């Protein structure tokens, strides 16, 4: 029982990060109909910015803020400089361009920082509290929950309640009509990329210290898990991404806890396949609503 | 350059998709506070004309002026700020957004937030059924309600010129009559000018001041609507009744 509780809490903590990363994928999918395969590499680049800023200033939090800012900026730049100019005639084109971007970003990071693992700092202790003999969450886990919770709530508020959120949704659903109504659709697209990339940077900042450390490929496996989470939830559904992220986090935690961590990559792929076979639109798909 | 009395002046307009033009050398003038009905068979270029006027389609040649200002090179999203609203073919109701969100979208560009809110209230008063369904999603509405929503959304921006593409499509005759009556009312009360594209020639000419007959991408005739209604030869030749 103790082990189950521990694995559940640990899985939710990892799942929160997957949820954030999956949400970033969903944001771009909804806005641009592109699965951003470069998101892992972009997020790692932002984390390296944090590394440099923290190394120069000695402050974790300055580095943290710098990573978020770098993420936002990088998203906007990738949209304006690269993705905007990709011909969407074939859905494969943006995928190939995104994969090229991965190679480019990872190569540049390797040239600047080298390809050894660099330890990533944490702002709070990672040793878990013990409550009545039961090992539960660490302060860092709580920080992860809080950070993801704040970002998810903020995004939900922006999209549901603000004028710019309404513009972004309208631009994503009906770009031509939105332009007729005075919406700067291109600007909304760039903003969507920036927000998504900022969320991706946050996820990288949260997850990298819990793994081997900072490395140009540090987000590769996280990307696979988050992509699975996004597909599980339905690429069109932000709530689906959050639920999918938590579900994938739990699954991986249980598999690794009860069956051995070697099996986790396999478990992710099995889950991805199962969802694609049974319900390709994802569990929260809104395909029925869009078909109208 | 612009003629006296024209809110919208189109001269020598050619436009189309790809290399082959659909519109050839179209001339058109819409006076302020008047309704112009563009009628003609399927494929006459009526929708293309509206798309070219609102900038969704880049003209191959010709001049389009709104209140004396050349619209060439004006991005589509700037046209609402010049006072032009375009309710496109199929109405353009965003099914994933609620009635209220669709309507508010029509006034988001406006700096005068207070007046945008007033305009929204007015639209709700004008279209009672929409007020009862504020929270419903666009795709849950009936055809008539969607047309109200599309029209209402355009009116929230307080346009001077309204481009309206086939408002009668798929609607019951009673609803069509209501919409035509509403257009007349808006023209008389607010001085709105309307460029109305219609397959439903009778109801369009019944409400219009000016009729423009299009055929194969050209303007075949321009005349007061009453004259067109009474000109049997023209009706037989181009309108089929």
């Amino acid at each position: 029982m103790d082990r189950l509780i521990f694995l559940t809490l640990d899985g939710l903590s990892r799942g929160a990060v997957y949820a954030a990363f999956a949400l970033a994928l969903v944001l771009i999918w909804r806005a641009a109909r592109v699965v951003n395969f470069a998101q892992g590499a972009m997020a790692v680049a932002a984390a390296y910015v944090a590394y440099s800023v923290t190394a120069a200033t000695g402050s974790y939090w300055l580095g943290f803020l710098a990573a978020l800012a770098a993420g936002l900026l990088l998203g906007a730049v990738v949209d304006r400089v690269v993705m905007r100019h990709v011909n969407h005639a074939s859905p494969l084109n943006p995928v190939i361009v995104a994969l090229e971007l991965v190679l480019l970003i990872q190569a540049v990071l390797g040239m600047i920082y080298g390809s050894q693992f660099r330890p990533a700092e944490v702002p709070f202790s990672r040793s878990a509290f013990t409550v009545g003999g039961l090992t539960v969450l660490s302060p860092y886990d709580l920080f992860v929950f809080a950070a993801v919770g704040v970002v998810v709530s903020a995004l939900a508020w922006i999209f549901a309640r603000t004028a710019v959120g309404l513009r972004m949704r309208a631009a994503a659903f009906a770009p031509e009509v939105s332009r007729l109504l005075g919406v700067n659709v291109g600007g909304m697209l760039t903003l969507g990329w920036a927000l998504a990339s900022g969320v991706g940077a946050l996820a990288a900042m949260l997850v990298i210290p819990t793994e081997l450390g900072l490395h140009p490929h540090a987000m590769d496996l996280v990307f696979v898990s988050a992509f699975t989470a996004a597909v599980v939830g339905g690429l069109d559904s932000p709530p689906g991404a959050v639920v999918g992220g938590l579900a994938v986090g739990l699954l991986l935690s249980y598999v690794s806890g009860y069956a051995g961590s070697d099996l986790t990559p396999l478990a992710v792929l099995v889950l991805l396949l199962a969802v694609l076979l049974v319900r390709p639109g994802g569990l929260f798909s809104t395909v029925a609503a869009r078909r109208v | 350059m612009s003629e006296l009395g024209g809110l919208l002046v189109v001269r020598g307009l050619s436009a189309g998709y790809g290399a082959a033009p659909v519109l050839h050398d179209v001339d058109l003038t819409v006076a302020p506070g008047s309704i112009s009905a563009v009628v003609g068979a399927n494929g006459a270029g009526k929708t293309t004309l509206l798309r070219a006027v609102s900038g969704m389609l880049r003209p191959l040649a010709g001049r389009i002026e709104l209140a004396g200002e050349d619209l060439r090179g004006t991005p589509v999203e700037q046209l609402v700020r010049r006072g032009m609203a375009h309710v496109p073919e199929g109405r353009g109701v965003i099914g994933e957004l609620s009635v209220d969100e669709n309507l508010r979208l029509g006034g988001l560009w406006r700096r005068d937030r207070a007046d945008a809110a007033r305009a929204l209230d007015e639209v709700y008063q004008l279209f009672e059924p929409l007020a009862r369904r504020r929270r419903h999603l666009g795709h849950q509405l009936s055809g008539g309600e969607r047309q109200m929503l599309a029209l209402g959304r355009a009116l929230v921006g307080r346009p001077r010129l309204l481009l309206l593409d086939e408002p009668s499509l798929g609607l019951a005759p009673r609803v069509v009559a209501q919409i035509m009556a509403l257009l007349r009312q808006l023209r008389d009360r607010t001085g709105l000018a309307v460029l109305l594209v219609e397959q439903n020639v009778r109801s369009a000419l019944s409400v219009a001041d000016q009729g423009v007959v299009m055929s194969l991408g050209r303007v075949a005739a321009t005349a007061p609507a009453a004259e067109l209604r009474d000109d049997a030869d023209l009706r037989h030749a181009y309108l089929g009744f």
Side-chain angles (χ1 to χ4, degrees):
Chain A
M1 192 60 203
D2 291 7
R3 187 159 173 75
L4 178 67
I5 292 172
F6 171 76
L7 289 175
T8 303
L9 293 173
D10 194 50
L12 288 175
S13 168
R14 292 206 61 106
V17 173
Y18 296 151
F21 213 59
L23 191 59
L25 286 171
V26 167
L27 288 180
I28 290 181
W29 172 257
R30 276 165 56 113
R33 297 284 130 181
V34 169
V35 176
N36 181 18
F37 283 96
Q39 190 169 277
M42 290 162 67
V44 169
Y48 271 108
V49 171
Y51 173 83
S52 290
V53 170
T54 298
T57 63
S59 160
Y60 171 84
W61 293 109
L62 278 181
F64 185 80
L65 291 178
L68 298 190
L72 290 167
L73 188 67
L74 189 57
V77 169
V78 163
D79 173 45
R80 286 281 156 158
V81 177
V82 183
M83 288 307 194
R84 186 65 59 91
H85 309 287
V86 177
N87 180 351
H88 281 52
S90 155
L92 215 52
N93 292 349
V95 173
I96 292 168
V97 171
L99 291 176
E100 283 166 357
L101 206 54
V102 173
L103 297 180
L104 178 71
I105 292 173
Q106 288 177 342
V108 170
L109 290 175
M111 276 154 51
I112 300 174
Y113 293 97
S115 58
Q116 70 271 40
F117 283 95
R118 292 175 187 271
E121 272 191 58
V122 286
F124 301 102
S125 161
R126 291 200 56 221
S127 34
F129 298 116
T130 318
V131 180
L134 199 66
T135 311
V136 287
L137 296 165
S138 69
Y140 187 72
D141 289 328
L142 294 178
F143 168 61
V144 169
F145 283 130
V148 173
V150 165
V151 164
V152 170
S153 313
L155 285 175
W157 178 76
I158 288 173
F159 276 95
R161 298 258 171 260
T162 68
V164 72
L166 179 54
R167 283 194 194 95
M168 288 176 75
R169 279 186 294 150
F173 290 134
E176 203 168 58
V177 170
S178 299
R179 293 189 72 196
L180 287 176
L181 295 169
V183 175
N184 176 354
V185 171
M188 292 302 115
L189 190 57
T190 302
L191 187 57
W193 272 88
L195 281 178
S197 171
V199 174
L202 171 77
M205 288 302 291
L206 295 176
V207 76
I208 285 173
T210 70
E211 300 202 325
L212 294 171
L214 196 50
H215 184 274
H217 290 270
M219 291 298 279
D220 288 5
L221 281 175
V222 175
F223 177 86
V224 174
S225 300
F227 176 64
T228 305
V231 172
V232 166
L235 270 174
D236 258 323
S237 165
V242 174
V243 175
L246 295 175
V248 169
L250 283 175
L251 175 83
L252 294 193
S253 181
Y254 293 144
V255 168
S256 125
Y258 289 118
S261 57
D262 296 347
L263 286 177
T264 51
L266 197 60
V268 172
L269 292 178
V270 169
L271 177 65
L272 183 57
L273 267 181
V275 169
L276 288 178
L277 283 174
V278 178
R279 204 174 149 81
L283 302 179
F284 290 73
S285 76
T286 50
V287 170
R290 303 190 114 252
R291 203 172 277 147
V292 175
Chain B
M1 284 283 281
S2 89
E3 277 105 304
L4 209 64
L7 175 62
L8 176 72
V9 177
V10 175
R11 288 292 171 266
L13 178 67
S14 295
Y17 311 88
V22 176
L23 293 180
H24 308 270
D25 200 22
V26 168
D27 290 346
L28 182 79
T29 304
V30 179
S34 77
I35 300 178
S36 294
V38 179
V39 296
N42 245 334
K46 305 190 297 294
T47 292
T48 306
L49 171 64
L50 288 196
R51 291 175 62 86
V53 168
S54 73
M56 292 167 86
L57 191 63
R58 195 180 290 276
L60 301 169
R63 207 171 76 239
I64 301 168
E65 286 179 8
L66 183 67
E69 278 183 90
D70 194 340
L71 292 184
R72 236 174 323 184
T74 307
V76 176
E77 57 263 32
Q78 291 300 326
L79 286 173
V80 281
R81 293 167 177 85
R82 302 276 186 94
M84 186 193 289
H86 181 175
V87 178
E89 201 179 13
R91 297 171 190 136
V93 165
I94 303 180
E96 293 91 341
L97 300 184
S98 72
V99 167
D100 199 56
E101 287 170 336
N102 266 288
L103 286 179
R104 278 194 288 132
L105 205 50
L108 276 189
W109 59 273
R110 300 189 60 198
R111 289 259 171 77
D112 188 347
R113 302 309 308 155
D115 190 60
R118 262 198 307 280
L120 184 66
D121 282 341
E122 287 169 23
V123 165
Y124 275 130
Q125 281 165 22
L126 202 57
F127 300 109
E128 259 288 300
L130 295 184
R132 288 196 300 269
R133 291 175 184 266
R134 278 173 205 240
R135 307 254 162 259
H136 285 60
L137 293 181
H139 68 77
Q140 295 172 314
L141 302 184
S142 71
E145 287 165 343
R146 280 181 205 213
Q147 187 57 60
M148 288 181 207
L149 182 52
L151 256 176
R153 191 174 60 188
L155 294 177
V156 169
R158 294 208 196 281
R160 287 184 288 177
L161 174 67
L162 179 63
L163 311 182
L164 209 49
D165 199 342
E166 299 261 9
S168 76
L169 197 71
L171 299 186
R174 186 179 51 83
V175 182
V176 175
Q178 279 171 2
I179 286 171
M180 296 301 164
L182 176 72
L183 292 181
R184 191 183 293 149
Q185 187 193 332
L186 287 167
R187 173 197 63 191
D188 296 343
R189 224 184 43 202
T190 69
L192 179 70
V194 182
L195 182 57
L196 171 69
V197 153
E198 260 300 342
Q199 298 262 21
N200 189 335
V201 180
R202 280 171 206 274
S203 48
L205 289 183
S206 75
V207 70
D209 302 294
Q210 174 187 237
V212 178
V213 181
M214 287 193 67
S215 174
L216 301 176
R218 295 175 195 278
V219 173
T222 302
E227 255 173 55
L228 277 183
R229 278 199 302 268
D230 301 333
D231 187 333
D233 291 343
L234 209 60
R235 284 204 325 253
H236 292 313
Y238 295 109
L239 308 174
F241 70 94

